[in-house]
Amino acid sequence: MTYRACIFDLDGVITDTAHYHFLAWKALADGLGIPFDEDDNHHLKGVGRMESLDFILARSDRTFDATTRDRLATEKNDHYKTLIKGISPADLLPGIIEAFDWLDARGIRIGLASASKNAPEVIAGLGIADRFHYVADAGAIPRGKPAPDIFLDVANAFGIAPEDAIGVEDAAAGVTAIKAAGMRAVGIGDAAILREADLVLPDTSRLAANGLAVLAAQA
Ligand code: BG6
Ligand code: MG
């Protein structure tokens, strides 16, 4: 027996947009005189736009009303959109197409569980929109990661039990969400940060052989 679905995060797993999110938040924080660096950014990976903004604004001694917060979120998103404008298949991280092919060859369904409302544009630019059997709509999911909701939404769309799915994530909040959903997790990145994952790989280059196949053998 193996798992029946593999549910991917997008930013930082399939493509390096995690860095673009950081650059856009950094520019906003700099403009407001709020300190923000790559270490702080680890807390924002997988976290929704408004929650991320609130994390940054909480480090200021000023208060920001709802209108200002909306304007700042739009400003960050407009900047982010300019950064991802030219995104193309060349921006796919190594091993991702091989992972999709490995899953397809075994009839394992492929889902996307990204917190990003820009996900449809990003996967279209990457040329992989048709590789997913289901793409969760971040705007329709009540609770963001680390809540399990978005991963459960994909399992539900596939009509499978959560324990028959695995998730792939680069964010601590994302790994927590996968585990809270009752799925097994492949972490991509630093094992010290992704402690809850069942298996951690430093990058996606050997995702199929060293991640997906290993969990399939354990199932
Ligand atoms: C997640 C990213 O995938 O999407 C976060 O890891 C980001 O950094 C979140 O804040 C929401 O993205 P967006 O594109 O809707 O602002
Ligand atoms: Mg991510």
Side-chain angles (χ1 to χ4, degrees):
M1 200 189 91
T2 183
Y3 45 87
R4 300 170 65 195
C6 180
I7 308 174
F8 286 82
D9 173 48
L10 175 64
D11 296 317
V13 168
I14 289 176
T15 184
D16 198 16
T17 36
H19 186 62
Y20 294 144
H21 279 294
F22 168 68
L23 291 178
W25 284 128
K26 174 77 181 140
L28 191 88
D30 284 352
L32 294 166
I34 300 174
F36 183 68
D37 62 21
E38 295 250 21
D39 281 340
D40 303 322
N41 191 55
H42 278 304
H43 298 285
L44 300 191
K45 287 186 180 172
V47 174
R49 195 181 306 163
M50 292 313 290
E51 292 83 357
S52 299
L53 177 67
D54 287 344
F55 175 93
I56 292 170
L57 297 185
R59 312 174 126 218
S60 161
D61 42 21
R62 290 162 56 196
T63 52
F64 299 85
D65 61 24
T67 313
T68 309
R69 288 168 60 248
D70 282 348
R71 180 177 55 74
L72 293 171
T74 302
E75 195 180 306
K76 182 268 175 177
N77 193 49
D78 288 346
H79 184 186
Y80 177 69
K81 283 183 147 178
T82 64
L83 295 173
I84 60 168
K85 213 176 198 131
I87 203 160
S88 79
D91 295 300
L92 280 163
L93 285 169
I96 292 299
I97 294 298
E98 290 82 351
F100 291 161
D101 290 346
W102 189 95
L103 293 161
D104 276 341
R106 287 156 184 81
I108 299 170
R109 275 168 287 183
I110 302 174
L112 189 72
S114 171
S116 175
K117 293 182 178 139
N118 292 297
E121 271 173 70
V122 172
I123 59 173
L126 293 169
I128 55 166
D130 63 356
R131 300 301 303 256
F132 296 99
H133 301 101
Y134 179 76
V135 174
D137 173 3
I141 306 292
R143 297 180 304 164
K145 302 169 188 177
D149 302 25
I150 194 162
F151 288 95
L152 292 174
D153 175 70
V154 181
N156 190 43
F158 287 154
I160 63 167
E163 50 270 29
D164 286 334
I166 68 165
V168 186
E169 262 286 354
D170 70 314
V175 170
T176 301
I178 295 170
K179 296 310 295 176
M183 302 174 183
R184 280 169 297 155
V186 178
I188 304 294
D190 184 342
I193 293 172
L194 306 173
R195 276 187 299 271
E196 285 182 76
D198 295 274
L199 187 156
V200 178
L201 301 174
D203 56 57
T204 51
S205 57
R206 311 258 315 141
L207 177 58
N210 293 358
L212 307 183
V214 173
L215 286 195
Q218 285 171 0

